[in-house]
């Protein structure tokens, strides 16, 4: 009922990203599924049903992960974007998080020795935020493309994560590279590592392919993105097989 992954998919993406981050930051914490209680509720984020006009009649039970030991990061500030569209049904977490908050910050007293993270996100991060917030000492999450350089540097991040939808409004390859330059030079000049993945809108109608965009990201020494699949080389995409429970099919 939705074009985005649910929290099960978000958890797989989280663990894959953390495997890469821990190579450079071993004190970043990676949690296992056994450390969470998983409940199922009717998910508010079902955009296909919303756009078809069946939001209230089509139910879609989705997984909600709750850390068993209760040691989680907490929202310290947020820029609430208001109730609009399907976000009027957004779940509000007890720590203040809700998915219509495009910009927010977390601190985690239980991960004081973990690095600080600044993440420039897209809509797919909603299914990962529950896990990311608990793996770092401080997390600043922004959903924007104007690249607030001063805000980013003020947070003094140990690592920056770009989760996509960064170059969706560029008209030509030159503009695409200028935009990437403006962002990446900030981190490259300060030796701040950057992990890059693609969102669902990057290059869908743009002048550069994902391979060309990823090749350009990799010209910056601060990029730590890894390609772990020959089938999707230079696309920052991971191939995860889904098998039947009773066979190898």
């Amino acid at each position: 009922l939705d074009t985005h992954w649910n929290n099960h998919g978000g958890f797989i993406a989280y663990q894959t990203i953390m495997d890469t981050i821990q190579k450079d930051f071993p004190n970043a914490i990676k949690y296992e599924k056994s450390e969470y209680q998983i409940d199922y509720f009717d998910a508010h984020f079902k955009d296909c049903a919303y756009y078809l006009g069946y939001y209230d009649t089509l139910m879609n039970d989705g997984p909600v992960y709750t850390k068993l030991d209760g040691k989680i990061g907490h929202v310290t500030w947020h820029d609430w974007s208001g109730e609009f569209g399907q976000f009027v049904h957004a779940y509000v977490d007890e720590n203040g998080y809700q998915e219509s908050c495009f910009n927010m910050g977390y601190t985690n007293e239980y991960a004081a020795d973990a690095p600080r993270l600044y993440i420039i996100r897209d809509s797919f991060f909603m299914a990962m935020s529950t896990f990311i917030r608990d793996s770092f000492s401080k997390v600043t999450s922004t959903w924007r493309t104007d690249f607030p350089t001063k805000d980013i540097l003020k947070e003094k991040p140990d690592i920056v994560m770009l989760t996509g939808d960064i170059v969706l409004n560029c008209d030509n390859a030159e503009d695409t590279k200028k935009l990437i330059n403006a962002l990446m030079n900030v981190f490259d000049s300060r030796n701040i590592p950057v992990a890059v993945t693609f969102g669902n809108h990057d290059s869908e109608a743009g002048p550069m392919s994902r391979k060309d965009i990823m090749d350009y990201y990799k010209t910056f020494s601060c990029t730590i993105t890894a390609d772990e699949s020959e089938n999707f080389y230079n696309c920052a995409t991971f191939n995860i097989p889904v098998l039947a429970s009773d066979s190898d099919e």
Side-chain angles (χ1 to χ4, degrees):
L1 297 178
D2 196 272
T3 57
H4 302 78
W5 50 31
N6 62 19
N7 284 354
H8 285 325
F11 185 79
I12 294 173
Y14 154 76
Q15 288 209 312
T16 303
I17 290 171
M18 292 304 297
D19 285 340
T20 297
I21 289 176
Q22 283 188 324
K23 293 177 183 178
D24 295 281
F25 296 91
N27 55 337
I29 304 170
K30 174 187 170 186
Y31 292 102
E32 302 299 327
K33 185 175 288 189
S34 60
E35 297 179 77
Y36 293 88
Q37 175 180 317
I38 304 175
D39 300 299
Y40 289 84
F41 302 96
D42 182 43
H44 85 272
F45 206 73
K46 42 189 179 183
D47 57 8
C48 292
Y50 177 79
Y51 294 126
L52 291 172
Y54 293 102
Y55 188 93
D56 295 326
T57 56
L58 292 177
M59 298 294 101
N60 181 32
D61 285 346
V64 176
Y65 284 60
T66 303
K67 204 155 176 287
L68 290 170
D69 62 9
K71 297 179 179 180
I72 64 175
H74 290 274
V75 175
T76 54
W77 66 271
H78 64 78
D79 177 12
W80 189 51
S81 303
E83 295 182 346
F84 61 95
Q86 68 212 68
F87 286 106
V88 299
H89 307 282
Y91 172 75
V92 180
D93 194 286
E94 62 180 8
N95 72 3
Y97 169 78
Q98 62 186 73
E99 291 174 353
S100 56
C101 293
F102 282 9
N103 308 301
M104 68 187 67
Y106 297 98
T107 57
N108 188 355
E109 62 180 305
Y110 305 105
D113 295 328
R116 300 177 300 274
L117 173 70
Y118 195 106
I119 178 167
I120 300 173
R121 52 166 287 198
D122 71 344
S123 55
F124 278 78
F125 180 70
M126 285 185 282
M128 298 168 54
S129 62
T130 297
F131 316 114
I132 291 292
R133 74 180 184 200
D134 299 330
S135 295
F136 298 87
S137 59
K138 185 176 182 180
V139 176
T140 300
S141 167
T142 65
W143 193 351
R144 57 199 294 180
T145 56
D146 56 346
F147 305 134
T149 303
K150 291 182 179 179
D151 291 345
I152 296 173
L153 297 179
K154 180 181 178 181
E155 296 298 330
K156 300 180 180 179
D158 297 297
I159 184 171
V160 171
M161 186 185 302
L162 308 181
T163 61
D165 291 358
I166 301 297
V167 297
L168 69 164
N169 292 321
C170 295
D171 295 325
N172 53 61
E174 182 180 359
D175 287 346
T176 300
K177 291 181 179 180
K178 284 182 179 179
L179 189 152
I180 294 175
N181 285 342
L183 177 64
M184 297 297 286
N185 283 334
V186 173
F187 309 124
D188 217 33
S189 63
R190 294 168 173 81
N191 296 317
I192 300 175
V194 180
V196 179
T197 62
F198 288 120
N200 55 321
H201 296 293
D202 285 303
S203 77
E204 66 178 5
M208 293 178 67
S209 68
R210 294 190 178 206
K211 180 182 182 302
D212 290 339
I213 294 173
M214 183 51 62
D215 282 343
Y216 195 67
Y217 272 123
K218 286 186 174 183
T219 64
F220 297 88
S221 60
C222 61
T223 304
I224 62 172
T225 299
D227 286 302
E228 297 184 0
S229 171
E230 294 181 358
N231 295 327
F232 297 101
Y233 180 72
N234 252 345
C235 292
T237 300
F238 300 91
N239 185 16
I240 303 172
V242 180
L243 306 179
S245 60
D246 55 355
S247 71
D248 292 332
E249 296 182 356

